[in-house]
Amino acid sequence: MSDLYKNLIEYSNGDYYPFHMPGHKRNIEDGVSPFSYDITEIDGFDNLHNPQGILKIAMEEAADFYGTDKTYYLVNGSTCGLLSAICGVTSRGDKILVARNCHKAVYNAIYLNELTPVYINPEYIEMYGINGGISPEVVRYELSENPDIKAVIITSPTYEGVVSDVQRIAEIVHKRGIPLIVDEAHGAHFGLHTGFPQSAVKSGADIVIQSVHKTLPSLTQTALLHIRSDIVNVSEVERFLHIYQSSSPSYVLMSSIDECINKLKSDGLFLFEPYVKRLEVMLTHEKQLTHLKIVGREIVGKNAVYDLDPSKIVISVRGTSYTGSRLYKEMLEKYHLQLEMASGDYAIAMTSPMDTEDGLLRLFMAMVEIDRDMRIYGDDTKNEVVNYMIPKPIVMENIYKATHSDTEELLIENAVGKISNEFVYLYPPGSPILAPGELITNDIVKLINDYKTSGLSVEGLRDSSAEYIRVIKEEFRRINLTKGYYHLNV
């Protein structure tokens, strides 16, 4: 029998500190039970799918606060916002320019609308083994090579806090008369204090999706979709919101969004000023570390990194005997600090204005102790530096067609040269290493094995052990000597 509720109570009463989402960090004074205000669409409380009263006013006030034409409350997370935005600005079968490090929800939208993606890989920061930004010049090039592209979507900031030059990208995209969608799920706090980058809303993006629950005091699953554009068909985006949002939206979640925005209006400076100062103090003391490193502004201006979000504390172990997974586990087991995620050579501590001074101090002192142990007891068995850069995909079929093809299951090592029927990704962040319809190469297989060797969970495959992969079953291919191409012998 599951004891989920009991386990949640026990965990919340323990001494584990949350360096992960949601951004409220369980640090809310209002301790009212959500059961006491869990209602449905009753008189006086409006209807999210046809707002005419209190919800309409709330969303109009949110739009005024963020400086948008329209702002919508989302109770199905940024996922439903991404699905609605992409399906709302494209028609079935259209071509779309996609940053390869986008969330899996973007790929689900590509599947649902049977879109043809053209991918742009983010640049790679070799020093830390993380993705950099999306180059505006590469966006320009791909749009010139593919004049039939109908929309562009990028992720900024990334999970690691890397911000691309959204303003330049928007200018390039708008010269083609098409919309730019920005997945700003991790940047709901942008623009609320000068210590953080400017939001994509103010940088010219047409549609911006933010997860308020990730970095602000709001409940999990709460998000916002912003539109600020004269080229987006707003009614089409709204139509898809009605499809992808629950028909019974939670008033607990909607009130959480509303209260979060009201708190930002009334107490924004009080919340953010001490928070920014604490982050600055932590970074000034980073020089105490001799083995661990915190990714900082030294990466800005290189690898298409336009700006950096200091709320993401990316702790690098590159060039040491540690892996990101080992650091993550040690932080949890020895120091009772629950980080957000681990990757090959780093782990991420997500912070928010609701973090306490004591909590941030606990994190920093844990880093100092781990670093000291490395220094005192030696760190001679350094791991080989692995290139975690995701290879540029070779697309053979669109995702929809590949997903509905006949398949066979092979060991991943034996699948080189085959076309994948499945996604392969790390979660978090959920950006695919491989998508359905793409060629499986030696580089892809090596990357999957490198992640597994680092102790990371490779997901998306039906085989939970990530040993086998389903590929498209191909018939015998025969050469047509006259026309010079292969075709299926069916």
Side-chain angles (χ1 to χ4, degrees), residues 77-274:
S78 284
T79 293
C80 81
L82 290 167
L83 293 171
S84 302
I86 294 170
C87 292
V89 300
T90 62
S91 299
R92 190 168 300 278
D94 276 351
K95 190 179 284 188
I96 184 170
L97 188 61
V98 182
R100 183 61 182 191
N101 58 334
C102 281
H103 187 267
K104 63 179 181 178
V106 171
Y107 294 82
N108 288 334
I110 292 169
Y111 165 82
L112 289 166
N113 233 17
E114 298 182 40
L115 302 175
T116 299
V118 175
Y119 293 115
I120 298 179
N121 274 33
E123 296 199 14
Y124 184 67
I125 304 173
E126 181 70 35
M127 178 181 180
Y128 292 116
I130 66 174
N131 285 325
I134 297 297
S135 165
E137 293 311 311
V138 175
V139 172
R140 188 195 307 276
Y141 172 80
E142 292 295 351
L143 290 177
S144 66
E145 290 293 301
N146 300 274
D148 51 344
I149 284 173
K150 302 299 183 184
V152 178
I153 179 162
I154 66 170
T155 297
S156 179
T158 65
Y159 225 116
E160 296 79 14
V162 169
V163 179
S164 295
D165 191 345
V166 175
Q167 185 168 331
R168 277 188 64 205
I169 293 171
E171 291 168 357
I172 292 165
V173 171
H174 289 157
K175 285 181 180 178
R176 297 281 173 171
I178 57 176
L180 172 65
I181 304 168
V182 176
D183 178 356
E184 199 173 63
H186 281 271
H189 57 296
F190 280 15
L192 299 178
H193 188 280
T194 55
F196 298 104
Q198 179 172 270
S199 170
V201 171
K202 298 292 177 65
S203 298
D206 297 276
I207 304 178
V208 179
I209 298 94
Q210 298 176 330
S211 288
V212 285
H213 76 91
K214 282 182 167 65
T215 57
L216 294 175
S218 191
L219 291 173
T220 297
Q221 236 173 274
T222 54
L224 298 169
L225 185 149
H226 304 291
I227 298 178
R228 190 184 187 193
S229 175
D230 56 5
I231 58 175
V232 168
N233 186 334
V234 176
S235 62
E236 275 297 285
V237 176
E238 287 183 347
R239 182 167 73 87
F240 282 100
L241 279 172
H242 297 326
I243 293 172
Y244 295 124
Q245 287 242 72
S246 169
S247 61
S248 299
S250 165
Y251 278 81
V252 174
L253 297 181
M254 289 188 289
S255 66
S256 176
I257 299 172
D258 203 42
E259 185 60 20
C260 175
I261 294 173
N262 288 335
K263 195 174 188 69
L264 294 175
K265 289 178 183 177
S266 62
D267 302 329
L269 186 62
F270 174 77
L271 278 174
F272 277 93
E273 192 64 25

Side-chain angles (χ1 to χ4, degrees), residues 93 110-111 114-117 395-405 420 436-438 472:
I110 292 169
Y111 165 82
E114 298 182 40
L115 302 175
T116 299
V395 180
M396 308 297 287
E397 295 283 5
N398 70 39
I399 292 175
Y400 183 88
K401 186 173 180 180
T403 302
H404 292 277
S405 298
S420 179
E438 294 175 4
I472 294 176

